[in-house]
Structure formats: C-alpha cells, structure tokens
Amino acid sequence: MIIDRTQPEFDLETSVIVVGAGAAGLTAALAARDAGADVLLLERDQVARGSTCMSQGFVCAAGTSLQAERGIEDGADRFYDDIMARTRGQADPVLSRAVAENSGRAIDWLKDTHGIPFVMNISWAGFFGHSVNRMHGVPSKRGEELHGALMRAAEEAGVDVITGAHVDMLFADAQDRVTGVRVQRLDGSVETVGCDALVLATCGFGANEEMVKEFIPSFGSASYYRYFGHEGNEGEGIRWGQELGGALGSMDAFQGYGALAGAYGIIVNYDLVMRGGITVNTLGERFSNENLDISAQSLNVLRQPDGIGWIIFDDARRELAVDLPEFQDLTTLGAFKTAATVAELAEAIKVPADTLAETLAETRRLAAGEGTCPFGRDFTLNAPLSEGPFHAIQTTGALFHTQGGLKVDGRAQVLRGDGTTLPNLFASGGAAESISGGHCDGYLPAAGLCMAVTLGMLAGDAAARQAAA
C-alpha cells in the first residue's frame, strides 16, 4: 500500500511539499516560493544530483529574450507546430500548448529573477525537429552547473531543502485530496509531514526494469539493453498518482541515445556525426541515416551485431569537438582509436578492411553529389571525411529518460481518466506525461529539461495558489 487513507497527527505541516530535488522539483519550489508559499523540498538521496546532473543541461524553449538578442524569431505557435509535426499529432494538444506558451517565460524568469546563467548554444548544429535554434544551456554545457545554480537559488529563496529524506507513502482523504507524506530518513527514523498541496517531481521510471518491460517492450526486451540514467528513477511518483486515480499518458515514449560510450558510461558528443561523421557496425557497414533521429538511433544501434556501433570521424570533425566536456573526458580516458589509414583503422576496431574502405569511399561520393544514400542522409551538407587520419569510438544504444507519466492539465495538475483534476496533486518533469507522443521518434532534443523547468514553474505556482485557497 502506497496510499494511506488514515489521517494521522502529522509531526509537522507546511503549505507545499515538493518531492524530488532535480531541475523539476527545484523549479517548482522556486515558483511556489515566489507565489508566497512555505515550501518543503524532500530529496531521497543524501546528495541531490539525479538526472539533471547526468545531462548536458540543455533546455529547449521558445520566445526567450536570449533568442531575441541573437535575432532568432521564435514563439509559442512555432514551437507547438514543431511538437505536433515531430510527434505526428500524437502529443497531447493541451499540454503541448501549455509548454509552448510557457517555456520561454520559464527561461526568462529563471535567468532574470533567480540568476540562472542561461546562454544560447549557438554552436549546436542539428535540430532533429526544431525548426529554429531554441537550445538554452549553461556556459559549461554540464548539467551539474545547472543543478548547482538551481540549488543555490532555492536556498536563497528560502526553500527548506531536506536530503536523505525518502518519501515512501502518501496520506489522502476519501476525496483523493493529499493531506501529507511519510518520510524515511537515512538513520531509520520515520516522520510524517502534512501539506495543503503536493508536487511530484520524482522523475521517470527508467531504473524500474519491470515498468520498462511493461510499458516500453522495445527496450525492455532488447538483448543489449542499457539504461543510462539515475538509479532513483523508479517511477514512484507515477505509481502514487496512479493509485490516487490519476491517468497515465504516453507510457511507451522515451528518449534514447545511440552514441553512449558504454565502456566508460559517457555520451559521445553527437556533433561529430551531425557535422559529417558516420556510424558503422562490426561488419564495417553503415546501417541508418545517423542524422534522422537522435533518439531512435538508439534502437538502430541495438539491432546491430552485439548491439554496438563505431562512430568514425577525421581530424576536421575532431577539431569541432575538442572543447566539449564529454569529448575531453573521453580523450583523457583514451577512449578513441586513432589510425593513419583505413586498413589500420579496420584492424584497430576489428572490422573487415575492404568493407570499411568501400563504406568510407561511398560517403565521399555521396558528399560530392554522386548517388543517393540508401538510408536518406544528405551528405552534401558537410565536407566529406578525409582519407586519414581517422578516429573511432565504440558506442551502444541506451535508454536515457522515459517520457510517459501522469496526465496533467495546462497548470500541471494531475488528471483523472475522466478528465477531472485530482484536488491538490501536481506533477512535473519525468513524473508527468511529456510532449513526445509515443515510442522514441517523437522526442525533441532538450525536451526533458524543457518539461522539467516549464511544468515545474507551472506546478509550483498552481500548488501555491491551491494551498492558499
């Protein structure tokens, strides 16, 4: 039982409780404080990190002041149209409209009111469904910096942040109104905390193998399935909301990534591929349009022999990535194979030399406009790969983040199956349904943190107003 219908005498009470101290929970807590509520933020880990710290810290958002400064024309309608086009109309229209209309406001509010150091990532070369550049990040291009800035802002705003506090049960009355939570502390003690409104920001369910098998069979049944996310993403918030009567949406949707250096647990910057690099399998053959879908490429790689691929690039592509944090980490670890010739490269990565030579020669012909790529990639957009030296790194496909969750309305309030709202329950980030439609090919780059900060802002503000009412 994860919902207790009894009404205990709570050890303490507050206006708004937020569960989960990732980007979604921290943003929700900031918004609730800005709306005048007393906020208690509960985090199960002793040191708050989570999925945000494992990311590159990018947030897609439309109509921001940072875009305007760069002369980028964007707005809610354009973002909404991109969401619907990418998901082939499968994304929830009410939620998509709310995200499109409020994502830019969320970035500007966090930057201007709370000092989050957002900047535009102008060097980002691929859009994968975004019709304009709406990639906002922090200077280091690391999620740790974004998370640290949000933690600082929450503390300065007066949010009470308690770590090592695992919420394992909700209390609710007969009308499904949440009245409080039970908290397990690391020392074994138990506390109960009452509240007027609750925001679930517990992320998704990627670390829950049974839920992955149930809702995402394409990944859960993969022979070489790899989850690359925080181990605490076990779907607890989703299950709590479900038991209270909340509806679920887009549960088969996920963000995959086809360029994880599995041996090191570090992503390979996809700039290498977007700007002309290729991916081959252990047979030395290309097997996909590498630049069609950065998320669905995860399954393309997993379907190859042994579930691996090799990203191959040259010195020109290497120079474009040398300043990226992950590339620097992999270089320090000696993760890249380097060879002067195709034959030497083939020997280094254990693929047939003749096949690899023909694959590389074909890409140069395609870059010259001679012929058509069987997978639909346009090689004329970039300079062809040179004839050496070459660099390569072994990758696999990984599940990064689930995109399904509790259905919410335009204020991030959790919905029942009949479309009515649960009285005082809100969800944000991975605990809520995203804007990715179904499966993995509707994911827009940086949509995960977009949902975290946008729904976080909406949920925190609405929860504070609900509590005050």
Side-chain angles (χ1 to χ4, degrees):
M1 177 66 67
I2 55 178
I3 305 296
D4 190 329
R5 297 289 179 172
T6 66
Q7 297 305 305
E9 183 175 339
F10 292 109
D11 297 319
L12 62 107
E13 299 195 26
T14 190
S15 296
V16 176
I17 291 176
V18 180
V19 185
L26 288 163
T27 306
L30 284 170
R33 282 295 294 154
D34 282 6
D38 292 326
V39 183
L40 181 62
L41 178 58
L42 300 172
E43 166 58 43
R44 65 183 286 180
D45 293 341
Q46 183 63 43
V47 177
R49 286 182 57 81
S51 298
T52 303
C53 289
M54 299 181 74
S55 74
Q56 294 177 301
F58 290 131
V59 184
C60 61
T64 67
S65 60
L66 289 169
Q67 285 179 306
E69 290 171 5
R70 293 283 186 170
I72 299 171
E73 296 183 6
D74 197 13
D77 290 343
R78 188 168 192 170
F79 193 9
Y80 177 82
D81 289 344
D82 285 350
I83 294 168
M84 287 300 161
R86 185 65 172 175
T87 63
R88 302 178 303 282
Q90 295 178 14
D92 180 274
V94 173
L95 177 61
S96 299
R97 175 59 67 179
V99 172
E101 291 180 348
N102 289 284
S103 59
R105 182 166 69 90
I107 292 293
D108 288 346
W109 162 67
L110 287 171
K111 178 175 66 72
D112 299 336
T113 303
H114 293 289
I116 308 303
F118 283 118
V119 294
M120 289 295 298
N121 180 20
I122 296 302
S123 66
W124 191 64
F127 296 113
F128 297 104
H130 291 297
S131 59
V132 297
N133 189 345
R134 49 177 70 106
M135 296 299 259
H136 301 75
V138 288
S140 68
K141 300 180 182 179
R142 288 186 183 270
E144 292 99 327
E145 182 184 1
L146 173 60
H147 187 266
L150 289 169
M151 284 288 286
R152 171 197 50 75
E155 292 168 1
E156 291 177 353
V159 175
D160 292 319
V161 181
I162 308 297
T163 60
H166 184 193
V167 174
D168 66 350
M169 181 180 291
L170 307 188
F171 297 97
D173 63 20
Q175 288 73 47
D176 301 322
R177 178 180 294 276
V178 177
T179 58
V181 301
R182 185 176 75 179
V183 182
Q184 295 273 357
R185 303 301 295 272
L186 291 177
D187 62 5
S189 62
V190 177
E191 299 168 296
T192 58
V193 186
C195 65
D196 298 312
L198 177 67
V199 178
L200 299 176
T202 54
C203 208
F205 58 91
N208 187 322
E209 187 175 348
E210 293 306 312
M211 288 184 72
V212 172
K213 288 180 178 178
E214 177 183 358
F215 294 112
I216 313 176
S218 61
F219 239 106
S221 61
S223 300
Y224 305 100
Y225 158 60
R226 175 75 178 269
Y227 170 60
F228 184 71
H230 189 258
E231 61 184 9
N233 296 349
E234 297 177 327
E236 289 178 304
I238 295 171
R239 290 304 196 197
W240 295 332
Q242 188 180 22
E243 188 166 325
L244 277 171
L248 303 180
S250 306
M251 291 298 285
D252 66 334
F254 65 93
Q255 174 196 0
Y257 197 73
L260 174 69
Y264 303 93
I266 300 174
I267 67 169
V268 180
N269 301 102
Y270 217 67
D271 304 62
L272 296 168
V273 180
M274 292 188 296
R275 300 189 179 192
I278 63 171
T279 303
V280 302
N281 57 23
T282 56
L283 304 177
E285 301 169 337
R286 290 181 57 242
F287 51 86
S288 67
N289 178 345
E290 300 93 329
N291 288 341
L292 179 63
D293 191 321
I294 197 170
S295 178
Q297 181 71 357
S298 59
L299 291 178
N300 292 334
V301 175
L302 284 173
R303 294 186 184 110
Q304 302 311 302
D306 298 326
I308 64 172
W310 286 92
I311 290 178
I312 297 175
F313 56 101
D314 58 12
D315 281 350
R317 254 52 61 155
R318 181 185 181 281
E319 288 304 310
L320 297 172
V322 290
D323 293 330
L324 300 176
E326 295 83 5
F327 189 91
Q328 293 174 345
D329 292 343
L330 289 168
T331 300
T332 300
L333 292 168
F336 297 103
K337 307 283 189 182
T338 296
T341 66
V342 175
E344 291 176 4
L345 179 66
E347 182 178 357
I349 65 177
K350 308 303 183 199
V351 305
D354 291 345
T355 305
L356 182 60
E358 174 52 32
T359 298
L360 289 167
E362 181 188 35
T363 64
R364 285 191 283 272
R365 290 195 296 270
L366 293 173
E370 302 172 6
T372 302
C373 171
F375 307 108
R377 178 173 173 178
D378 186 353
F379 277 88
T380 64
L381 298 175
N382 301 105
L385 289 174
S386 69
E387 298 191 23
F390 298 103
H391 311 279
I393 185 167
Q394 187 184 104
T395 65
T396 188
L399 168 62
F400 268 23
H401 199 289
T402 55
Q403 296 289 297
L406 295 165
K407 292 195 73 68
V408 296
D409 66 8
R411 301 191 317 149
Q413 192 162 359
V414 178
L415 296 168
R416 297 186 177 96
D418 62 5
T420 61
T421 55
L422 287 169
N424 64 340
L425 184 66
F426 302 83
S428 62
E433 179 183 15
S434 189
I435 53 172
S436 297
H439 201 51
C440 66
D441 55 0
Y443 180 78
L444 285 162
L449 281 174
C450 172
M451 298 302 294
V453 302
T454 306
L455 283 189
M457 178 186 71
L458 295 173
D461 181 74
R465 298 179 188 281
Q466 178 76 23

